[in-house]
Amino acid sequence: MPGVTEMSLDHMFCSRCREGFVAHEKIVNSNGELWHPQCFVCAQCFRPFPDGIFYEFEGYKYCEHDFHVLFAPCCGKCGEFVIGRVIKAMNSNWHPQCFRCEECNGELADAGFIKCQGRALCHTCNARVKAGVLGKHICHQCHGVIDDKPLRFRGELYHPYHFNCTTCGIELNSEAREVRSRPGYAANEMNELYCLRCHDKMGIPICGACRRPIEERVVTALGKHWHVEHFVCAKCEKPFLGHRHYEKKGLAYCETHYHQLFGNLCFVCNQVISGDVFTALNKAWCVHHFACAFCDQKMNQKTKFFEFDLKPACKKCYDKFPQELKKRMRRMYDLNPKRIPPV
Amino acid sequence: MNQTAPVSCIPAGKMSKAKKVLDEAREIQNPELDLADKGIATFEEMPGLLNMINVTRLTLSHNKIQDQINNCFRLVAVPPGLANLVNLEILNLFNNCITELPISLSQMPKLRILNVGMNRLDVLPRGFGAFPVLEVLDLTYNNLSEKNLPGNFFMMETLRALYLADNDFEYLPPEIGQLKNLQILVLRENDLVELPKEIGELARLRELHIQGNRLTVLPPEIGNLDLVSNKAVFRMEFNPWVTPIGDQLQVGISHVMDYIRSETYRYVYNRHQSAKGPPPPIETDKSKKISRAR
């Protein structure tokens, strides 16, 4: 030990007890500090360091056990001492592998985290939670918030731009259509996405009311296709569901409203005329209700009748009208002969 | 059961004619009675009729039904007991000599069509407007005017056709606007000098006859109505119209309606109303009307 022998014992003393060393006494040297072997002990338990391993803190040396007890952080999750890298976050200490997103359980140590309502979340989960509060959707692919209209595909929502049209390959927008490649096949793994242009060219009927494709029963009427439940009366908006409908000026009506709106109620019974309609004098009649307005005798298509205030009068009744009235009717007709002659 | 009328001053031949129809109807349970042009003068010629409560239609047009005046009592033309026929839906009394109707008719629960045209009605009974389901009321060719309508006449909200042609109306009461279901209104050849603006409230009206009156202007509100579609009829000739309306009428009803709806017409109408002259004179002679006969 040339270093030790060269030094004069007079100038050396123990770092702990400040006493000198006797010649040939054993001296412990640690980083230039000297100790009596009995003085080189844990500052807490005064026992030698097991296997010579000690921990130094603020100028004092501690055995491993006491150092942990006194100074080492405990993990906020597993409760064990954290040796090595300590993650200090959320007012606690963590093993790097113990500090995880409270939503998806992904490690946060290197990815960073965002404190959200007292919870540590990864950026993705934070965005989703925030979007959920704002009523927005999260893309199932990139987990980002979908600000514009989402694209629904196989039951999940996406940013439309993650997909391309199955036919032409163009990047899709929210107008894109999901098509069941096997109609009626329930599993949606079979579904494919098409841009609107290609979709329209595929010949899948589009509903004239909702402009969406019709995948189940198709009703064809008024030169368009309709979802069964979207083919409705233009007045009451109830679906016809296979019941008879009536068309007028490009619109469809149920029986009741067609007759109510377009006057095919019988003048006598005021009911919808179910069979043949007798139309005359700006009115309609059930065939068996068409009768002279004055004697109630039934008339048919062949019966000759006269018009009196747009009411039908059979010849017998007209003949019984007083002369003075017939004279007036004649005069009115002569002066204004645009209408059907009264005689 | 055959009943004989208690008083019988009626020739037996006539009586059997109507009676035969009733007997037949009873036999085959026919609910529709056709008794037109049977020379009937009184309900006594139709024994048992008022007990045939399953009757739904009774047609008595072209008869001579009228009040019977004997030395000591007066028998009214239409007996109040007619209202016993609670299933009656259609009652046709056209072309008789009836001067008065019993108030009981207005209580008939199923009466939908009532034709009392071409009679001699000078007045309708108080409370006549109480009909619960009346749809068609034909009072053509009588002697009625706004002065002798009952107070509740325009309460008949179920009316879809009202025929008042050949009567003596000078004004149409504004309450006409209450007849929300009215589709047909006939006022031909009355003495009307103006129409109420409430006529514009009859949203379902598709037939309006006002020809042969003394009208000079139309209320602009009439422009609210659809009277020019192919399902509508508007007859307005033979009135002393102000020149612009008369000119439009020469080219067609649709031109009249377009003009009525214009700002120009509103101005013409307002000026006409503020500088109201005397109404045009009555030019028609009604003395020959058979409804005037006494």
Side-chain angles (χ1 to χ4, degrees):
Chain A
M1 241 186 202
V4 174
T5 45
E6 267 177 39
M7 281 188 276
S8 156
L9 282 176
D10 296 342
H11 299 287
M12 295 190 288
F13 44 88
C14 173
S15 289
R16 185 167 171 251
C17 64
R18 302 283 160 196
E19 294 291 323
F21 295 97
V22 186
H24 307 298
E25 193 181 13
K26 249 186 165 177
I27 300 172
V28 179
N29 182 341
S30 168
N31 282 338
E33 288 182 299
L34 305 174
W35 316 72
H36 294 112
Q38 67 273 20
C39 286
F40 192 59
V41 292
C42 169
Q44 178 73 11
C45 64
F46 306 114
R47 282 184 294 191
F49 302 111
D51 302 326
I53 295 166
F54 64 87
Y55 292 78
E56 199 169 325
F57 189 74
E58 291 177 340
Y60 294 99
K61 294 182 169 58
Y62 300 90
C63 67
E64 183 172 10
H65 178 261
D66 285 330
F67 178 76
H68 285 169
V69 170
L70 288 170
F71 305 112
C74 281
C75 174
K77 188 179 182 201
C78 63
E80 296 294 326
F81 297 123
V82 185
I83 314 296
R85 194 170 167 210
V86 183
I87 307 297
K88 288 191 171 287
M90 309 293 291
N91 299 325
S92 195
N93 302 296
W94 315 83
H95 293 110
Q97 69 275 14
C98 283
F99 187 53
R100 288 169 183 271
C101 170
E102 290 183 45
E103 281 278 319
C104 69
N105 207 34
E107 278 192 31
L108 297 172
D110 296 309
F113 74 99
I114 290 167
K115 193 171 164 182
C116 174
Q117 293 166 326
R119 303 191 305 160
L121 299 180
C122 67
H123 288 277
T124 310
C125 290
N126 177 63
R128 193 180 60 242
V129 169
K130 230 160 76 184
V133 171
L134 293 170
K136 284 189 180 163
H137 298 291
I138 289 295
C139 175
H140 195 65
Q141 177 150 324
C142 69
H143 305 293
V145 182
I146 306 172
D147 283 320
D148 296 324
K149 280 186 178 171
L151 176 63
R152 187 177 286 277
F153 178 50
R154 296 183 182 174
E156 302 289 353
L157 295 170
Y158 296 91
H159 287 117
Y161 53 71
H162 294 307
F163 299 93
N164 296 82
C165 171
T166 308
T167 305
C168 70
I170 194 173
E171 184 182 292
L172 294 179
N173 57 26
S174 59
E175 293 277 271
R177 297 284 194 257
E178 184 179 14
V179 171
R180 289 182 188 165
S181 41
R182 284 160 61 181
Y185 193 75
N188 56 15
E189 306 87 76
M190 302 298 291
N191 297 1
E192 303 276 16
L193 287 169
Y194 296 87
C195 70
L196 195 57
R197 233 173 86 94
C198 290
H199 182 265
D200 286 351
K201 280 192 252 170
M202 291 166 67
I204 291 174
I206 302 293
C207 174
C210 69
R211 312 300 310 162
R212 296 248 144 213
I214 307 167
E215 287 164 2
E216 279 104 41
R217 261 184 68 198
V218 181
V219 180
T220 306
L222 304 164
K224 289 178 188 161
H225 302 293
W226 313 84
H227 284 114
V228 176
E229 65 274 20
H230 288 164
F231 186 50
V232 300
C233 169
K235 175 78 179 162
C236 66
E237 299 188 342
K238 283 193 190 124
F240 299 113
L241 303 174
H243 290 289
R244 191 170 171 187
H245 74 274
Y246 295 78
E247 298 180 4
K248 182 94 176 179
K249 288 182 182 166
L251 295 173
Y253 298 87
C254 67
E255 191 171 45
T256 309
H257 287 114
Y258 176 78
H259 291 294
Q260 204 179 78
L261 289 166
F262 305 108
N264 276 336
L265 292 175
C266 171
F267 180 68
V268 170
C269 66
N270 202 30
Q271 302 292 310
V272 172
I273 302 167
S274 46
D276 287 335
V277 183
F278 197 104
T279 314
L281 309 176
N282 198 43
K283 295 174 184 67
W285 283 267
C286 306
V287 168
H288 60 283
H289 279 147
F290 184 62
C292 169
F294 303 94
C295 67
D296 295 327
Q297 280 303 300
K298 301 278 182 279
M299 301 197 286
N300 59 41
Q301 295 94 311
K302 288 174 190 157
T303 318
K304 196 179 171 193
F305 63 87
F306 299 85
E307 181 258 303
F308 181 61
D309 290 337
L310 287 180
K311 289 174 285 184
C314 71
K315 183 161 189 324
K316 264 168 103 178
C317 284
Y318 182 81
D319 287 345
K320 288 195 179 68
F321 282 5
Q323 279 307 319
E324 81 62 46
L325 173 63
K326 282 194 274 196
K327 230 187 231 171
R328 277 190 283 137
M329 288 166 72
R330 262 257 157 247
R331 198 175 64 237
M332 277 203 169
Y333 172 70
D334 288 344
L335 288 168
N336 193 25
K338 276 174 250 169
R339 305 201 305 261
I340 354 157
V343 181
Chain B
M1 191 172 74
N2 284 336
Q3 286 180 328
T4 347
V7 193
S8 201
C9 49
I10 302 143
K14 262 189 196 173
M15 182 151 160
S16 61
K17 216 171 162 185
K19 209 169 145 271
K20 210 178 136 197
V21 174
L22 293 183
D23 287 344
E24 269 178 26
R26 270 188 284 255
E27 204 165 297
I28 60 166
Q29 293 282 305
N30 184 2
E32 305 202 338
L33 296 182
D34 281 304
L35 289 159
D37 198 17
K38 295 277 185 280
I40 300 165
T42 159
F43 272 72
E44 292 191 4
E45 295 168 45
M46 299 172 282
L49 169 68
L50 304 187
N51 294 324
M52 295 168 71
I53 55 161
N54 57 345
V55 169
T56 58
R57 174 169 67 80
L58 176 58
T59 302
L60 286 163
S61 38
H62 306 303
N63 282 294
K64 293 177 289 188
I65 296 171
Q66 56 190 298
D67 292 352
Q68 301 294 313
I69 300 164
N70 283 358
N71 291 337
C72 49
F73 68 97
R74 175 171 170 261
L75 194 63
V76 290
V78 182
L82 186 58
N84 284 351
L85 303 179
V86 288
N87 288 303
L88 203 63
E89 294 182 33
I90 300 176
L91 175 57
N92 194 339
L93 293 163
F94 181 79
N95 192 15
N96 279 279
C97 310
I98 301 163
T99 53
E100 250 180 89
L101 289 170
I103 177 60
S104 62
L105 286 193
S106 65
Q107 303 303 317
M108 295 178 79
K110 293 186 182 172
L111 194 64
R112 296 188 300 108
I113 300 179
L114 175 59
N115 190 343
V116 216
M118 208 168 281
N119 276 283
R120 298 173 188 177
L121 296 173
D122 299 313
V123 67
L124 293 173
R126 270 176 73 99
F128 185 75
F131 290 96
V133 295
L134 196 64
E135 296 173 12
V136 179
L137 177 56
D138 196 331
L139 295 165
T140 307
Y141 207 107
N142 280 285
N143 307 316
L144 297 168
S145 79
E146 68 279 4
K147 297 184 191 78
N148 43 38
L149 287 185
N152 66 347
F153 187 81
F154 294 101
M155 306 277 194
M156 295 185 279
E157 280 188 24
T158 51
L159 270 195
R160 53 185 166 88
L162 178 57
Y163 293 93
L164 294 171
D166 290 317
N167 277 285
D168 304 322
F169 286 87
E170 287 197 2
Y171 294 91
L172 185 64
E175 290 81 14
I176 187 77
Q178 296 168 17
L179 300 179
K180 297 290 179 216
N181 285 306
L182 208 60
Q183 297 166 33
I184 298 171
L185 178 57
V186 182
L187 296 161
R188 172 185 54 79
E189 293 185 279
N190 277 266
D191 298 315
L192 292 170
V193 294
E194 66 176 43
L195 288 176
K197 66 178 191 318
E198 285 77 7
I199 209 159
E201 294 167 13
L202 303 175
R204 301 186 66 182
L205 202 66
R206 58 181 173 80
E207 231 186 76
L208 178 60
H209 306 231
I210 50 169
Q211 70 273 46
N213 281 284
R214 294 150 66 200
L215 298 167
T216 49
V217 289
L218 288 166
E221 287 78 5
I222 221 162
N224 298 341
L225 303 177
D226 173 25
L227 291 171
V228 293
S229 78
N230 62 344
K231 275 283 172 189
V233 172
F234 185 18
R235 291 184 175 172
M236 56 179 289
E237 305 83 7
F238 313 110
N239 280 289
W241 296 117
V242 293
T243 317
I245 295 186
D247 289 350
Q248 297 298 326
L249 187 54
Q250 290 290 315
V251 275
I253 290 289
S254 61
H255 293 83
V256 177
M257 290 304 279
D258 286 344
Y259 175 63
I260 295 295
R261 291 174 182 139
S262 71
E263 233 7 82
T264 323
Y265 178 66
R266 205 166 275 274
Y267 174 74
V268 168
Y269 177 79
N270 287 338
R271 206 183 48 184
H272 185 274
Q273 291 301 91
S274 54
K276 213 175 209 173
I282 300 179
E283 284 177 348
T284 47
D285 173 21
K286 294 185 176 181
S287 61
K288 290 204 174 105
K289 276 178 74 179
I290 59 164
S291 62
R292 295 286 202 269
R294 284 289 171 269

